[in-house]
């Protein structure tokens, strides 16, 4: 995998999509005003009296639209500012216990090693103990509340190399600020949705209000749909970027590639809807776009709205060709020694020594 090329491509595509997102907001505001102007002209054409065009119509329409979009963004973003640890606890995660579990000790060691390699602060390590699906997520606004949470299914079925690939992917999201970006985009989409909801409320008053409310709803729905599609497109590019970064940090395509191929096998061998019905934690709307792999059918009204590329697409990018699923068998690896924070075992070859000096870029 040419991970440098993939990273540059993902960053370039993200910038283009964010610019499109800003344009979509501007177009929404203009569309609301245009729709209300059309509604006003229709009303004047129907009424038997002549009504002058209201003064300040443009300023009021633009002001109210921006207030709804930015106000909704502020409210939703404030709700998500509780922090990564609280969000993880909200869906059933707990702090990792390296002293009582060999698998969790292995996880903590991997997070510690990769943070040294990436020159980044170590996040809180957490586990979703009642989740058999192989998955993980990272969350947090900054280093003080950052968290990497891994499911019990991942601890049970992934080798050390595969777990490294999974953790490297999640650390890349924290390193690149993806969690903040996704939370802000989610807040902005919520603001766009408020324009549609405002039009719906106006429409319920019937009479002439029905005409103006319908105009606002139409423009609001178009803006909300465009926002959802662009947010999903940005999310998919950040997943490609994190995949490439994971291969760069671990110098292994079989690490993360093995994780994705085992997820393919797990989904092939389990009933449809298993993850969504059995594991409500991962199905929480606040974390779905942060997961390593999205849930089957999660919000997939259309392919355009999927927050993740398909497993086959990601495997194709990592290996350069399609690969078959890997058998899903429990991992039985020997226990690892505990590491003290900020120390490296004497004589050990750390991942930091294997990573190029541009890892922090």
């Amino acid at each position: 995998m040419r991970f440098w090329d993939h990273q540059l491509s993902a960053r370039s595509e993200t910038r283009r999509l964010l610019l499109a997102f800003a344009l979509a907001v501007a177009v929404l505001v203009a569309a609301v005003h245009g729709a209300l102007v059309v509604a006003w002209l229709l009303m004047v054409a129907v009424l038997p009296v002549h009504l002058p065009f209201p003064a300040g119509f443009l300023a009021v329409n633009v002001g109210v639209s921006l207030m709804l979009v930015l106000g909704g963004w502020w409210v939703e973003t404030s709700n998500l500012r509780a922090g990564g640890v609280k969000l993880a606890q909200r869906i059933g995660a707990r702090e990792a216990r390296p002293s009582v579990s060999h698998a969790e000790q292995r996880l903590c060691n991997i997070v510690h090693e990769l943070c040294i390699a990436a020159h980044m602060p170590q996040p809180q390590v957490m586990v979703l103990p009642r989740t058999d699906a192989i998955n993980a997520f990272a969350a947090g606004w900054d280093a003080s509340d950052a968290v990497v949470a891994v499911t019990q299914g991942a601890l049970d079925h992934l080798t050390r190399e595969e777990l490294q690939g999974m953790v490297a992917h999640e650390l890349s999201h924290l390193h690149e600020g993806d969690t903040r970006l996704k939370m802000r985009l989610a807040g902005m989409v919520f603001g766009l949705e408020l324009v549609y909801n405002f039009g719906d409320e106006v429409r319920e008053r019937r009479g002439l209000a029905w005409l103006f409310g319908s105009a606002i709803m139409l423009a609001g729905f178009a803006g909300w749909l465009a926002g959802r599609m662009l947010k999903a497109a940005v999310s998919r590019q950040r997943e490609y970027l994190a995949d490439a970064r994971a291969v760069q940090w671990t110098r292994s395509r079989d690490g993360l590639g093995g994780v994705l191929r085992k997820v393919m096998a797990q989904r092939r061998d389990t009933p449809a809807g298993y993850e969504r019905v059995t594991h409500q934690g991962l199905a929480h709307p606040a974390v779905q776009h942060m997961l390593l792999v999205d849930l089957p059918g999660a919000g997939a009204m259309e392919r355009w709205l999927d927050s993740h590329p398909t497993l086959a697409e990601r495997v194709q990018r990592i290996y350069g060709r399609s690969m078959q699923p890997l058998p899903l068998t429990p991992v039985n690896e020997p226990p690892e020694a505990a590491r003290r924070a900020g120390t490296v075992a004497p004589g050990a070859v750390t991942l930091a020594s294997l990573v190029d000096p541009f890892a922090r870029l």
Side-chain angles (χ1 to χ4, degrees), residues 276 282-291 293-295 298-299 307-308:
R276 176 167 294 277
L282 294 182
H284 195 288
V287 299
Q288 286 187 34
H289 60 284
M290 302 178 186
L291 298 174
V293 291
D294 61 347
L295 303 184
S307 60
H308 289 64

Side-chain angles (χ1 to χ4, degrees), residues 88 184 358:
R184 284 170 177 153
F358 301 103

Side-chain angles (χ1 to χ4, degrees), residues 100-327:
V100 299
S101 167
H102 295 318
E104 294 180 27
Q105 178 63 63
R106 182 180 52 151
L107 171 64
C108 291
N109 286 349
I110 289 172
V111 173
H112 180 73
E113 293 166 0
L114 286 171
C115 286
I116 293 175
H119 308 281
M120 62 182 290
Q122 180 170 325
Q124 177 75 52
V125 185
M126 304 190 75
V127 173
L128 287 154
R130 292 178 293 278
T131 305
D132 297 329
I134 299 174
N135 220 323
F137 73 90
W141 283 94
D142 51 44
S144 63
D145 72 346
V147 59
V148 169
V150 174
T151 65
Q152 187 63 47
L155 295 177
D156 292 341
H157 296 101
L158 299 183
T159 65
R160 196 180 202 283
E161 182 183 20
E162 291 163 349
L163 203 55
Q164 279 182 333
M166 169 182 273
V167 171
H169 174 100
E170 299 305 330
L171 290 180
S172 173
H173 283 312
L174 296 175
H175 187 276
E176 294 284 338
D178 292 349
T179 54
R180 290 194 303 273
L181 175 63
K182 290 182 179 181
M183 287 180 180
R184 284 170 177 153
L185 289 178
M188 191 61 74
V189 170
F190 178 73
L192 295 173
E193 187 178 359
L194 280 188
V195 175
Y196 172 83
N197 293 337
F198 176 70
D200 190 29
E201 289 185 7
V202 173
R203 193 168 178 259
E204 291 178 353
R205 298 176 184 175
R206 301 183 181 281
L208 290 176
W210 183 91
L211 180 62
F212 287 97
S214 299
I216 297 174
M217 279 184 64
L218 182 62
F221 179 77
W224 170 80
L225 185 61
R228 283 284 309 272
M229 292 170 61
L230 289 169
K231 170 176 167 286
V234 170
S235 178
R236 291 195 293 270
Q237 291 301 319
R238 306 314 283 182
E239 295 302 325
Y240 284 137
L241 174 58
D243 286 352
R245 181 60 68 87
V247 174
Q248 176 204 343
W249 278 349
T250 61
R251 289 296 194 271
S252 168
R253 61 182 184 180
D254 290 327
L256 182 61
V259 177
L260 300 177
R261 294 169 67 190
K262 285 188 174 179
V263 173
M264 293 167 70
Q266 189 176 47
R267 292 184 175 179
R268 180 195 60 193
D269 300 336
T270 52
Y274 170 78
E275 293 173 71
R276 176 167 294 277
V277 174
T278 309
H279 307 290
Q280 294 299 321
L282 294 182
H284 195 288
V287 299
Q288 286 187 34
H289 60 284
M290 302 178 186
L291 298 174
L292 173 73
V293 291
D294 61 347
L295 303 184
M301 182 178 66
E302 295 287 349
R303 178 69 185 88
W304 298 93
L305 299 182
D306 286 346
S307 60
H308 289 64
T310 64
L311 291 172
E313 289 173 342
R314 295 170 70 179
V315 169
Q316 173 80 29
R317 282 205 174 207
I318 291 175
Y319 289 97
R321 63 184 187 280
S322 60
M323 300 289 288
Q324 294 298 314
L326 282 178

